[in-house]
Amino acid sequence: MTVGGGPVVEEEKAEGFTFPPDVTQLGIISAIIAIVIVIIPGLPAVVKAVGVIFALLWGTDSVRKTSKYGLGTGVPSIGVLAMGYGILGALVGIAFAGILNVSIVQPGVLIGVIAMAIVGLISGVLSNNEKIIGMKIPGLERGMMELGMAGTLAMVLQFSIVAGSLNFDLVIEKAVSNGLIAVMFVLSMMAMFHPYNACLGPDERRPRTLMVSIEISGLLCIILGIFVAATAGSTWGVAGLVDGISLLIFGLIVWIVFFVKFIKTAMREAHSTVGTGLIRTIE
Amino acid sequence: MDPILLIVVCVLAGGVLASLGVHLLPVGGAPAAMATATGVATGTVMLMLGAAMCGLFTAASVATYTSNILLVSLSGAVGSWLMMGVTMLLANLLYVFGVGVVPVSGRVDVDPITRESQKEYKTPQCDGHGVPNVSYISGMMGALLGGFGGALMYFALLEYANFEPTMAGVAAMGIFVANAIIAAYNIGGTIEGFQDPKFKRLPKALLTCGIISLLSGVLVSVVANMGGLIG
């Protein structure tokens, strides 16, 4: 399965929504933003949600870059792989969160990110090596490494949103043992693989694909916001009632803005659109 | 035995069994959705994840009653066995009575188990149809091994690493999924079962999955150690 067989020159339309940074720049920017947010667990949930969006955006971009060459198993597989590594990395991260603390900064979680970067790199090297699996995909090593890191960052940030801290026992109690981790797992991997899976084709355009990722992150924020507000022990403070409601509103705004933007962009860039009559067609 | 060593050995065995299980499943992918290839019409990840989830459910229920490693692992194997059996049977019913094709292997001329001739039932230009006997048996073996591996990992995380049941389940699923996907990349998406020539690529996937599971096992035992769950 090879996708993207259309015109080689990727024409960027001047009007409409675009992402100025290229793949490398977006990766570096997202990684720095997500890492800065993740090591300070005292931040409000909305700020952490921005980190989640950037981490998932980075993951989506890596999925897009890697699966452009055709994986043979479909695009979803690499998104699921990313979150499989993400769960493992997040558990390692919160296990190490207690050490190396400097007042409110907890850089210990980054050990999980580094561990998953190493595992991802090794799996990428083994998968791409001619003598072993031999997938022959340019940049698979880097792609898998980035996916492991992005998945871990997204997962730790969501733990941090729900539990309000990175304490191992608290995270296990509030985010893992009640089964919320399954919702996080599914929605995060949707945010990573669904955009490229849904948008792939000869006229796939990067900014349009990345919009879908932000939209799904908005949905994730809505669900986490409802959960945080419903289980809040206090009104103010991290993971309190106000934190949950503000996250819910933030998620709603992100979702509506990017959903409308995506539909409008898709309508504008399509050759023609035909309504079925079942739902009102927007012009 | 040292619990850390036990965790690493169980996770390693589970990952390698998952990889072996994937190679035995009849995965048809997109061509099978049009009944132009042998296998169930979905990707490796979906099939193996579905089978492993069913296995984890049965294993988790049995693990609440007993702490016998063999009993829990075998119940996991039975769970995924049932799931794969039902999936392949219903896929076959759809192919035979819905599409109107005969389940036939595209890679071998004679079924290696039942000795039935395959070639004359195959539509020209197609790569087999449905789930023939040999693929069905191969798929059952794959689900048995995969489910056993997944449940073994779950049991190790639950009993030796003292994870909570949900945490053990999700962590086992994460490691299982990573191994199943690496194995799926090795077979390039579709495979018929052990009669497929692609099955000969198995050692490469076993090596890769062995290394990945070993690393995952070490990381999981580090989590258990740092989180204060073991000794």
Side-chain angles (χ1 to χ4, degrees), chain A residues 241-261:
Chain A
L241 187 65
V242 177
D243 221 15
I245 291 172
S246 58
L247 181 62
L248 173 63
I249 294 167
F250 172 77
L252 266 174
I253 293 170
V254 167
W255 179 65
I256 290 171
V257 166
F258 279 89
F259 187 72
V260 171
K261 218 172 189 127

Side-chain angles (χ1 to χ4, degrees), chain A residues 174-249:
Chain A
K174 288 190 114 177
V176 179
S177 65
N178 52 17
L180 189 69
I181 190 170
V183 179
M184 294 174 182
F185 175 65
V186 172
L187 270 171
S188 312
M189 75 192 190
M190 283 295 279
M192 281 201 191
F193 75 70
H194 180 66
Y196 191 67
N197 202 26
C199 295
L200 65 80
D203 63 343
E204 188 266 346
R205 204 166 66 90
R206 182 163 165 262
R208 201 172 64 212
T209 306
L210 295 184
M211 256 182 242
V212 185
S213 170
I214 303 181
E215 181 220 319
I216 300 173
S217 308
L219 284 176
L220 179 63
C221 291
I222 294 175
I223 291 177
L224 291 183
I226 294 172
F227 183 83
V228 171
T231 60
S234 61
T235 314
W236 298 97
V238 182
L241 187 65
V242 177
D243 221 15
I245 291 172
S246 58
L247 181 62
L248 173 63
I249 294 167

